[in-house]
Amino acid sequence: MNFLLGAFKPACNISITFTDGKNRKQVPIKKDNGQIVMNPLFQSQETIAGKIHIDPYQGKKVEHNGVKVELLGQIEMYFDRGNFYDFTSLVRELDVPGEIYERKTYPFEFSSVEMPYETYNGVNVRLKYVLKVTVTRGYAGSIVEYQDFVVRNYVPPPPINNSIKMEVGIEDCLHIEFEYNKSKYHLKDVILGKIYFLLVRIKIKNMDLEIRRRESTGAGANTHVETETLAKFELMDGAPVRGESIPVRVFLSPYDLTPTHTNINNKFSVKYYLNLVLVDEEDRRYFKQQEITLYRLKEEAS
Amino acid sequence: MLSSIRLRCSASYGLRSYHLTNMRAFDELRKLEIFFMEETRRGCSVIELYELVQHAGNILPRLYLLCTAGSVYIKTKEAPAKEILKDLVEMCRGIQHPLRGLFLRSYLAQISRDKLPDIGSEYEGDADTVTDAVEFVLLNFTEMNKLWVRMQHQGPARDKERREKERGELRDLVGKNLHVLSQLEGVDLDMYRDTVLPRVLEQIVNCRDEIAQYYLIDCIIQVFPDEYHLQTLDVLLGACPQLQPSVDIMTVLSRLMERLSNYAALNAEVLPYFLQVEAFSKLNNAIGKVIEAQEDMPILSAVTLYSSLLKFTLHVHPDRLDYADQVLGSCVKQLSGKGKINDTRATREIVSLLSAPLEKYNDVVIALKLTNYPLVVEYLDNETKRIMATVIIRSIMKNNTLITTAEKVEALLELIKGLINDLDEPQGLEVDEDDFEEEQNSVARLVHMLYNDDTEEMFKIISILKKHFLTGGPKRLKFTIPPLVVSTLKLIRRLPVEGDNPFGKEASVTATKIFQFLNQIIEALPNVPSPDLAFRLYLQCAEAANKCDEEPIAYEFFTQAYILYEEEISDSKAQVTALQLIIGTLQRMHVFGVENRDTLTHKATGYSAKLLKKPDQCRAVYACSHLFWLEDHETIQDGDRVLLCLKRALKIANSAQQMGSNGQGSAGSVTLFIEILNKYLYFYEKGIPQITVESVESLIQLIKNEESMPSDPYAESLFASTLQFMEFQKQKGGAIGDRYEEIKV
């Protein structure tokens, strides 16, 4: 057993550290197996630098045909699991072919990397960034080590941000007018608004505001759309009468939201909707869905 | 802790258990509040806390938490109280379910109560924050009321009754807001008039719900100070006609007036304000409008309203009789066209309405000045009219009110017509005999309260009484005539002696005239089956005439009395009594000339002899002896006839004795003898020459003989005391003693 173990054991231990690893903000990422791990956070145009340590096991030497580190931006579709589409790929050669006898450290740096897309973990699609260190070997098989990191991009507040105002209804049955203060919200924003009841002829039991995420993957005939409800926030309890106005105040911070993504590399899109749902006493649902744009606002020095 | 709160979200509990759960939750929330408080002290930002609680997805627990956090927020004073309160009251709109909403808002009211930015409160902000406090409470009140009103539409119609009951139990939650408002230091009169009242009233009027309107109007009246009500009377009253027709507005207004009257009664210094704001005319108008607006208002309500208004005006403007009259006038207008009132409660209310002025002034004269008073009485049914009349009379009696002018008497009689006249109600309820007697007796008493020192006016009064009484139907005459006669006789006594008229003018009221008048009155009586009474009255009048030296009149009266005796008095016992009366009266008459007197005495003696029973005859005859001997009148001293009478009496006694010995013993006749002896002694003492010592002695001897026979103790003791009397007179000495000395026993 020991022999076997020894045989399949990689010949060395590779670790990757980032230059400012200790101070850099870490964010939780859910891995495939459901585990949550903390990964360092970067944004576009940042320089990603660090060191790679290659530590051969005691008394072993590592022969190799070269050491390289790659920065990959990958999109993985779940219907095509394991097959990554790289939209970004940068390589740094670290070492010429040779042998490593003892612990060896290679500094690396990718300066001002263009990372236009954010890390995204969806239902059917995943976008991730990874550093891949490869110790190339011939027949023995290369030794590969991955280090995931997260990219988030911050945008300034949009210059135009209209409110959403709309009157909807079913003739002679229900007329409401709703108003949300903006159409574009940042992720820690608060949705403020009001719902006016202009005509109520049904017995309403309650009213919820749902935040829905619509993730569409693929293109053309193969488009696959997945919608999930991320938040269900009760706005009203009981039946209002004509003329009532119900306040809306929904804090977005407790929910696991991402910015709106439009047509990421022709692979997928993520859109968000506010869905206003009225439920009557017979559990019939009346709803009106409105798209909102989410964006990531640069957080105050934190 | 939160789970208990969450519990209520799913609650479709009955009201009671909901209430209980709520109480428990309130407790928990208080603990939570303390916990929050500690957290903030430990450095947890209260603003974050305030946001954090809003992350809860379910609205009901979220809002409870928000209120709790808000309370802590205010306490830390990191933001102005008014902002937070405004936010809270706004966010609470999310609960539209009536029951849950009510409780939530009631919780909000509870936690905010000590945190309102009122004047003097530690949460008072810079400028004018009391407006915010008021605004907050008003808003919460409005919303709560809406929810409360909406409750009635929840659920199926068959549960309506149960729901109304539940609503009734919840009303205090709504009313508490008004209470809070009234407690605010900052709510002064201006604020109340300009903001609070109009807003609250607007809500009340607009909610169009009977229960809510009734309760809340009443609430306003009860919680705010009287002074405010007084100053905003027109606003408050203006709202009344706008309420739903089914609202029991009368109770509400009555309470308002009651409060105001009490206020006026307790603080005399505020009375000028009442005048200043014309409280009365406003109330009067308002009531008119309310009645107009609520067409099918039961008569009871209307009357109750007027009754309260009347009480109010009596309290507040005791000096303004015209007000009271005005009220009665409106009442009459309201009653007209409705005919007699059949509703017993309404009648009772009218009685109380009519009694109010009497109680207040304790003087019926004032009530008589109210021209509309009798008009109101007119609408009562006969039964009630009688009751009312009794009330009036009782008031007069209680306060010893003298009614002094003919006009007033006329008015009064008009008022109590129910007692004086048979009302046109042929087949009405049979009046209880006792009650009837009681009533008529009170009328009789009333007669004596009608009095004027001026004889002429008094005569007028009496004439009016006569007019009314004589049309009053035969049943009443028995009761009404005697007091009238007595009153008239009193008048006669007060007449100036003829020829003693200082002004030299012909007195319009002469005794003759009055006597004629009396005669007319009494004549009415024999028509009624009470000759006995008429008989006595004639004698009374005769006596009065005697005093006035009106011989022909006195003779006329006597004649009438005799005729009655002969024609109407047939019962032997009654005859005896009547005869005694005749004798007694006649004995005192001095006005008669010899001829007239002779006729009368002769008649009287004749009657005596014609009595049925011997002892009665005997007694009447010896009584007649007095008719012939009047001590003060030389002309009427006829000893012979005295003796004749006594002798005849003896004879009758004798024959009675004989009849007795044949029959059931002679005990009675001995008594007769002794009585005759007493008469002998009387006249003997007076010194009538015809009564001799011998006759006395022989009579005593006779009695002594009779005594030996088995006798009764009464006679024995009578005889003994007679002898004792004689002995006593002897002892006294003097002329009389000497006379007695002569008698040898």
Side-chain angles (χ1 to χ4, degrees):
Chain A
M1 273 306 265
N2 277 341
F3 165 77
L4 273 176
L5 273 176
F8 288 104
K9 223 170 150 185
C12 61
N13 185 23
I14 303 170
S15 65
I16 304 162
T17 56
F18 293 97
T19 312
D20 48 359
K22 288 210 174 71
N23 304 323
R24 186 161 287 276
K25 191 174 174 185
Q26 306 265 320
V27 291
I29 285 290
K30 202 171 167 187
K31 292 204 347 183
D32 291 345
N33 56 11
Q35 248 182 323
I36 292 183
V37 294
M38 299 302 283
N39 282 331
L41 175 68
F42 290 90
Q43 53 177 306
S44 191
Q45 303 297 338
E46 257 192 300
T47 295
I48 298 168
K51 291 194 172 85
I52 293 160
H53 312 277
I54 298 180
D55 207 357
Y57 287 105
Q58 199 79 50
K60 286 209 172 174
K61 67 168 190 200
V62 180
E63 271 180 69
H64 61 88
N65 294 332
V67 177
K68 63 177 181 184
V69 59
E70 290 165 284
L71 187 156
L72 300 173
Q74 301 178 317
I75 295 172
E76 179 189 20
M77 312 295 263
Y78 289 166
F79 59 83
D80 191 14
R81 200 172 279 267
N83 194 5
F84 297 98
Y85 170 80
D86 296 348
F87 56 90
T88 296
S89 176
L90 300 169
V91 187
R92 297 282 182 274
E93 297 290 347
L94 296 177
D95 204 356
V96 294
E99 291 178 345
I100 302 169
Y101 297 98
E102 55 191 0
R103 183 185 167 93
K104 200 164 179 189
T105 300
Y106 304 98
F108 70 91
E109 183 183 285
F110 300 95
S111 51
S112 306
V113 191
E114 184 73 28
M115 296 179 286
Y117 310 130
E118 280 203 352
T119 304
Y120 174 74
N121 248 327
V123 184
N124 286 324
V125 66
R126 178 158 67 174
L127 187 152
K128 66 171 188 172
Y129 288 90
V130 66
L131 280 174
K132 182 179 176 189
V133 178
T134 316
V135 178
T136 321
R137 292 199 294 184
Y139 47 89
S142 302
I143 303 167
V144 183
E145 178 64 30
Y146 298 95
Q147 170 65 54
D148 288 353
F149 64 92
V150 177
V151 172
R152 286 182 180 173
N153 289 324
Y154 304 94
V155 297
I160 299 168
N161 199 348
N162 295 323
S163 63
I164 300 174
K165 200 170 177 179
M166 188 172 263
E167 193 185 322
V168 292
I170 309 161
E171 199 169 346
D172 293 333
C173 182
L174 178 71
H175 275 272
I176 61 170
E177 189 182 292
F178 61 81
E179 183 178 354
Y180 308 125
N181 60 336
K182 300 175 194 169
S183 52
K184 296 167 182 164
Y185 294 94
H186 63 80
L187 298 181
K188 307 285 177 209
D189 217 343
V190 189
I191 300 170
L192 297 176
K194 258 193 187 315
I195 290 135
Y196 303 98
F197 285 83
L198 304 174
L199 177 80
V200 189
R201 293 240 175 96
I202 50 173
K203 290 188 168 169
I204 297 174
K205 201 164 70 181
N206 60 349
M207 174 167 73
D208 296 331
L209 188 68
E210 293 175 344
I211 302 174
R212 288 158 75 91
R213 172 154 70 196
R214 189 163 170 272
E215 180 186 289
S216 57
T217 48
N222 292 329
T223 311
H224 191 80
V225 177
E226 192 71 45
T227 310
E228 54 182 325
T229 302
L230 298 177
K232 192 172 164 197
F233 192 82
E234 197 180 5
L235 288 180
M236 184 184 77
D237 170 32
V241 292
R242 210 179 113 160
E244 284 293 346
S245 76
I246 307 298
V248 178
R249 184 189 292 158
V250 184
F251 290 88
L252 295 178
S253 55
Y255 308 110
D256 185 20
L257 303 174
T258 70
T260 299
H261 299 304
T262 321
N263 198 15
I264 300 299
N265 222 41
N266 281 328
K267 294 283 185 199
F268 73 98
S269 294
V270 178
K271 288 181 174 175
Y272 285 89
Y273 295 87
L274 288 181
N275 192 24
L276 185 69
V277 185
L278 290 121
V279 184
D280 74 6
E281 282 186 342
E282 274 120 51
D283 280 327
R284 279 187 294 250
R285 288 159 64 86
Y286 307 83
F287 59 89
K288 178 68 187 173
Q289 195 158 288
Q290 282 297 118
E291 187 182 350
I292 52 167
T293 307
L294 293 182
Y295 63 94
R296 195 183 297 281
L297 186 71
K298 177 77 188 154
E299 280 168 59
E300 303 289 315
S302 61
Chain B
M1 192 179 291
L2 296 186
S3 63
S4 77
I5 301 164
R6 186 144 304 146
L7 245 179
R8 334 126 153 281
C9 308
S10 57
S12 53
Y13 297 123
L15 175 75
R16 188 161 290 278
S17 56
Y18 190 81
H19 212 120
L20 281 175
T21 321
N22 244 298
M23 300 318 270
R24 229 169 289 142
F26 278 15
D27 275 354
E28 295 295 318
L29 284 166
R30 200 156 32 233
K31 285 182 205 151
L32 181 66
E33 190 179 338
I34 295 164
F35 171 73
F36 280 169
M37 209 59 212
E38 279 166 6
E39 282 296 292
T40 55
R41 244 176 255 136
R42 251 180 250 136
C44 176
S45 155
V46 71
I47 301 167
E48 269 171 32
L49 183 70
Y50 193 67
E51 187 193 316
L52 207 61
V53 293
Q54 298 187 59
H55 291 175
N58 286 318
I59 185 158
L60 196 60
R62 178 170 76 232
L63 291 178
Y64 271 102
L65 286 173
L66 187 67
C67 291
T68 315
S71 158
V72 176
Y73 201 173
I74 297 173
K75 271 194 205 158
T76 60
K77 297 183 193 165
E78 285 184 32
K82 67 165 188 174
E83 300 287 339
I84 299 162
L85 289 175
K86 207 166 150 189
D87 189 49
L88 290 177
V89 78
E90 188 61 31
M91 291 312 283
C92 283
R93 281 178 191 276
I95 305 290
Q96 293 288 327
H97 183 278
L99 188 59
R100 296 196 278 270
L102 267 178
F103 275 95
L104 172 70
R105 285 184 181 273
S106 134
Y107 175 66
L108 173 62
Q110 185 191 315
I111 57 136
S112 64
R113 218 177 144 166
D114 51 347
K115 302 180 184 69
L116 297 173
D118 187 16
I119 289 174
S121 147
E122 55 174 316
Y123 303 103
E124 188 186 358
D126 7 309
D128 221 19
T129 54
V130 66
T131 325
D132 300 306
V134 170
E135 195 63 27
F136 166 76
V137 182
L138 277 176
L139 204 57
N140 206 27
F141 161 74
T142 311
E143 291 301 320
M144 278 178 91
N145 188 41
K146 279 194 210 157
L147 292 169
W148 186 46
V149 170
R150 215 185 292 162
M151 266 185 89
Q152 64 185 316
H153 306 302
Q154 301 268 315
R158 63 190 145 80
D159 286 349
K160 194 165 176 354
E161 205 168 308
R162 184 179 58 83
R163 275 202 309 276
E164 305 255 289
K165 198 167 147 267
E166 285 186 0
R167 285 192 59 205
E169 289 168 21
L170 290 173
R171 59 184 196 177
D172 287 347
L173 295 181
V174 184
K176 218 193 269 170
N177 284 302
L178 293 178
H179 188 244
V180 170
L181 275 178
S182 72
Q183 303 277 299
L184 284 177
E185 281 294 317
V187 178
D188 52 11
L189 181 56
D190 287 336
M191 172 78 85
Y192 176 74
R193 187 180 45 214
D194 299 339
T195 315
V196 177
L197 186 63
R199 290 274 301 274
V200 173
L201 282 181
E202 188 195 354
Q203 175 56 32
I204 293 175
V205 169
N206 288 344
C207 78
R208 294 168 176 281
D209 174 63
E210 180 189 340
I211 300 178
Q213 290 184 334
Y214 172 68
Y215 171 69
L216 292 173
I217 284 273
D218 197 37
C219 225
I220 293 185
I221 293 172
Q222 302 302 330
V223 300
F224 290 105
D226 302 304
E227 186 198 341
Y228 289 10
H229 292 316
L230 191 54
Q231 296 294 339
T232 56
L233 208 50
D234 37 356
V235 185
L236 188 59
L237 295 174
C240 290
Q242 301 175 50
L243 300 180
Q244 297 300 99
S246 49
V247 173
D248 183 11
I249 192 72
M250 96 193 174
T251 316
V252 172
L253 282 180
S254 311
R255 293 216 188 128
L256 175 63
M257 288 184 273
E258 199 177 299
R259 265 201 80 156
L260 288 178
S261 356
N262 287 344
Y263 178 53
L266 292 175
N267 310 286
E269 72 273 17
V270 299
L271 282 178
Y273 289 114
F274 277 90
L275 289 176
Q276 194 189 321
V277 299
E278 295 173 321
F280 169 75
S281 54
K282 279 175 188 165
L283 281 169
N284 196 12
N285 282 341
I287 288 172
K289 276 193 198 124
V290 165
I291 291 174
E292 217 169 272
Q294 306 196 353
E295 274 174 9
D296 44 358
M297 184 189 234
I299 198 75
L300 168 67
S301 313
V303 174
T304 315
L305 277 179
Y306 282 120
S307 169
S308 313
L309 179 61
L310 186 63
K311 280 175 195 151
F312 167 78
T313 176
L314 289 176
H315 265 100
V316 179
H317 307 292
D319 49 337
R320 296 296 297 263
L321 261 185
D322 54 330
Y323 283 172
D325 201 29
Q326 223 172 309
V327 176
L328 290 170
S330 321
C331 193
V332 169
K333 217 192 295 164
Q334 192 53 36
L335 291 170
S336 66
K338 306 246 170 157
K340 299 262 182 198
I341 302 158
N342 296 320
D343 181 359
T344 48
R345 280 170 63 208
T347 4
R348 212 175 306 146
E349 210 37 68
I350 294 188
V351 171
S352 110
L353 169 84
L354 291 172
S355 314
L358 297 178
E359 280 161 23
K360 173 67 187 172
Y361 294 112
N362 281 331
D363 186 356
V364 82
V365 178
I366 294 191
L368 293 178
K369 281 190 200 145
L370 302 168
T371 51
N372 284 310
Y373 200 90
L375 296 179
V376 178
V377 175
E378 214 31 56
Y379 287 97
L380 294 168
D381 60 24
N382 295 338
E383 172 74 23
T384 327
K385 267 187 197 165
R386 272 206 304 277
I387 294 172
M388 199 55 233
T390 322
V391 168
I392 294 172
I393 293 175
R394 211 173 291 144
S395 155
I396 297 175
M397 301 314 296
K398 202 175 91 196
N399 302 302
N400 278 325
T401 319
L402 288 180
I403 291 140
T404 50
T405 68
E407 282 152 64
K408 283 181 193 160
V409 171
E410 179 80 55
L412 177 68
L413 290 178
E414 196 59 38
L415 271 186
I416 59 168
K417 220 159 58 179
L419 288 183
I420 292 172
N421 284 347
D422 275 330
L423 295 156
D424 38 324
E425 190 186 23
Q427 260 82 49
L429 292 163
E430 228 10 77
V431 184
D432 185 54
E433 274 306 314
D434 288 345
D435 286 355
F436 179 76
E437 220 164 281
E438 181 68 28
E439 284 164 10
Q440 294 306 319
N441 280 334
S442 67
V443 173
R445 281 203 292 273
L446 175 68
V447 171
H448 296 291
M449 301 309 291
L450 314 175
Y451 179 83
N452 195 322
D453 278 330
D454 179 38
T455 48
E456 240 169 273
E457 191 67 32
M458 187 64 199
F459 185 66
K460 267 193 219 155
I461 293 177
I462 287 171
S463 309
I464 291 167
L465 281 172
K466 175 193 147 199
K467 192 177 81 197
H468 283 271
F469 285 164
L470 286 186
T471 54
K475 273 200 301 186
R476 290 182 176 73
L477 288 177
K478 200 161 77 176
F479 297 96
T480 50
I481 293 298
L484 182 58
V485 171
V486 170
S487 175
T488 317
L489 290 177
K490 264 200 243 165
L491 172 65
I492 291 174
R493 300 220 172 96
R494 286 196 284 121
L495 279 181
V497 180
E498 233 148 316
D500 194 18
N501 196 334
F503 303 104
K505 64 174 179 183
E506 193 73 15
S508 61
V509 185
T510 59
T512 328
K513 207 164 155 194
I514 298 175
F515 280 119
Q516 272 170 10
F517 172 81
L518 276 172
N519 203 8
Q520 284 166 12
I521 305 175
I522 304 172
E523 256 174 8
L525 273 177
N527 301 335
V528 199
S530 48
D532 203 32
L533 195 60
F535 171 77
R536 283 156 194 264
L537 291 174
Y538 275 131
L539 288 181
Q540 287 270 344
C541 292
E543 204 180 341
N546 175 45
K547 287 238 169 67
C548 297
D549 285 329
E550 297 275 1
E551 185 184 352
I553 294 170
Y555 187 77
E556 174 63 21
F557 280 128
F558 253 99
T559 319
Q560 295 287 355
Y562 278 19
I563 291 170
L564 275 182
Y565 178 81
E566 282 170 13
E567 289 177 356
E568 305 280 353
I569 302 176
S570 48
D571 179 57
S572 63
K573 262 194 196 130
Q575 279 182 345
V576 173
T577 334
L579 203 49
Q580 275 166 0
L581 283 171
I582 291 180
I583 296 167
T585 316
L586 195 52
Q587 198 262 343
R588 283 200 294 277
M589 304 298 263
H590 51 76
V591 69
F592 292 128
V594 181
E595 206 168 310
N596 278 341
R597 195 175 168 82
D598 261 2
T599 322
L600 292 174
T601 46
H602 192 257
K603 245 341 191 194
T605 335
Y607 292 148
S608 310
K610 274 184 210 135
L611 286 173
L612 182 62
K613 288 198 271 181
K614 288 287 177 192
D616 289 342
Q617 274 182 22
C618 171
R619 288 193 175 105
V621 170
Y622 71 64
C624 280
S625 60
H626 286 287
L627 294 177
F628 305 107
W629 190 274
L630 264 70
E631 233 176 306
D632 309 334
H633 296 270
E634 296 291 323
T635 49
I636 318 172
Q637 288 190 347
D638 188 345
D640 286 336
R641 295 186 65 177
V642 171
L643 189 63
L644 206 64
C645 279
L646 293 179
K647 278 202 171 138
R648 194 184 291 171
L650 270 177
K651 209 191 281 167
I652 297 168
N654 242 329
S655 64
Q657 191 191 20
Q658 264 148 35
M659 284 167 77
S661 54
N662 297 339
Q664 310 93 348
S666 58
S669 54
V670 181
T671 321
L672 285 178
F673 283 127
I674 301 167
E675 284 169 9
I676 295 167
L677 170 62
N678 275 301
K679 292 288 163 199
Y680 264 96
L681 286 174
Y682 172 79
F683 289 113
Y684 177 73
E685 199 180 303
K686 297 276 180 254
I688 301 175
Q690 283 83 352
I691 308 294
T692 57
V693 185
E694 293 77 36
S695 57
V696 176
E697 281 174 351
S698 67
L699 190 52
I700 295 173
Q701 200 52 48
L702 176 69
I703 295 166
K704 278 189 173 163
N705 290 344
E706 294 292 331
E707 277 275 272
S708 55
M709 296 165 81
S711 62
D712 65 328
Y714 173 69
E716 255 173 65
S717 67
L718 186 62
F719 187 54
S721 53
T722 310
L723 291 178
Q724 213 178 326
F725 171 74
M726 287 167 63
E727 198 56 35
F728 175 72
Q729 294 292 65
K730 252 187 235 172
Q731 302 296 325
K732 260 203 329 204
I736 296 173
D738 292 345
R739 282 190 74 88
Y740 275 97
E741 205 62 50
E742 288 170 33
I743 302 173
K744 303 281 181 295
V745 183

